[in-house]
Amino acid sequence: MSLNFVDVVELSPPAGVEPVHWRLLTTHEVGDAATAWQIVDWYSRRRTIEQLFRLMKTHGLRLEDSQLASADVLIKLAAIATKAAVVILQLVQARDGQGGEPAGNAFSPSEIAVLDSLDASYQGRTVLQSNPHPRQSLAWAAWTIARLGGWDGYPSSKPPGPITLRHGLEYFRAIVKGCALRDVCMP
């Protein structure tokens, strides 16, 4: 097997921060700088991919604990778990409000209506205890879901991580189901 080597060094890191230095081995041909940068871009996404698998496995949805005997059923379960893990990662990536994505990227209109009601109940009495993000943005949804997951909401606190957001999302999904059932008429 033939390997190629890509060496990446950060020349001007922020003050007090150790520069990035990646030594990457790849089976891809690296004939020019553009290809080398493509390899670096792929590698930079590694952390997100690892977070996705972490959420699907031991520290999240515990896919490996399933007792399914059929490969077809396990594949379906993996697809459902992947969708849930992707929503959690969307919330993690949106939590700082830099991207400006709409909440509709991860939630249906009826779920956004429930988020709107929940957000109002989690607003504090001070600016520091209020959701700082534009209403119906993905960051706004992440703030509310994180509060449901046990995060205190203060900007000085550590940002909510994937596990807090997973707990909040599970609680949120139960609330959404309850809201859908309130309009069901039983004979």
Side-chain angles (χ1 to χ4, degrees):
M1 177 182 302
S2 175
L3 293 176
N4 293 292
F5 179 72
V6 178
D7 191 33
V8 182
V9 180
E10 185 177 24
L11 298 177
S12 301
V17 176
E18 187 174 330
V20 170
H21 189 178
W22 290 341
R23 295 173 184 96
L24 308 175
L25 292 175
T26 180
T27 56
H28 294 276
E29 282 295 321
V30 185
D32 57 19
T35 306
W37 283 114
Q38 178 65 64
I39 303 290
V40 171
D41 183 54
W42 290 336
Y43 184 75
S44 69
R45 297 170 194 262
R46 187 185 107 243
R47 186 173 194 289
T48 301
I49 294 166
E50 287 175 359
Q51 273 193 324
L52 176 73
F53 287 128
R54 177 178 175 240
L55 279 167
M56 289 175 64
K57 294 166 83 179
T58 308
H59 291 27
L61 302 169
R62 303 181 84 125
L63 186 61
E64 76 279 9
D65 288 349
S66 66
Q67 298 288 319
L68 301 173
S70 163
D72 289 341
V73 176
L74 184 59
I75 289 170
K76 289 176 185 174
L77 179 61
I80 292 166
T82 301
K83 183 178 187 289
V86 165
V87 171
I88 295 166
L89 280 179
Q90 284 178 293
L91 294 171
V92 169
Q93 292 174 345
R95 70 185 175 202
D96 64 1
Q98 299 297 315
E101 300 90 356
N105 283 2
F107 300 101
S108 70
S110 60
E111 290 172 326
I112 292 171
V114 173
L115 277 168
D116 218 7
S117 297
L118 289 169
D119 183 65
S121 67
Y122 276 96
Q123 296 292 331
R125 294 184 193 148
T126 68
V127 173
L128 287 178
Q129 294 174 317
S130 298
N131 192 331
H133 304 290
R135 203 171 145 267
Q136 297 194 2
S137 67
L138 198 53
W140 164 84
W143 188 93
T144 305
I145 297 289
R147 296 284 283 137
L148 289 169
W151 182 59
D152 66 11
Y154 285 106
S156 60
S157 295
K158 181 179 172 189
I163 304 305
T164 299
L165 289 164
R166 182 195 65 137
H167 291 302
L169 193 58
E170 287 172 359
Y171 187 36
F172 171 69
R173 297 282 187 220
I175 293 169
V176 168
K177 282 193 187 253
C179 288
L181 289 174
R182 76 172 173 217
D183 297 326
V184 174
C185 179
M186 299 295 284

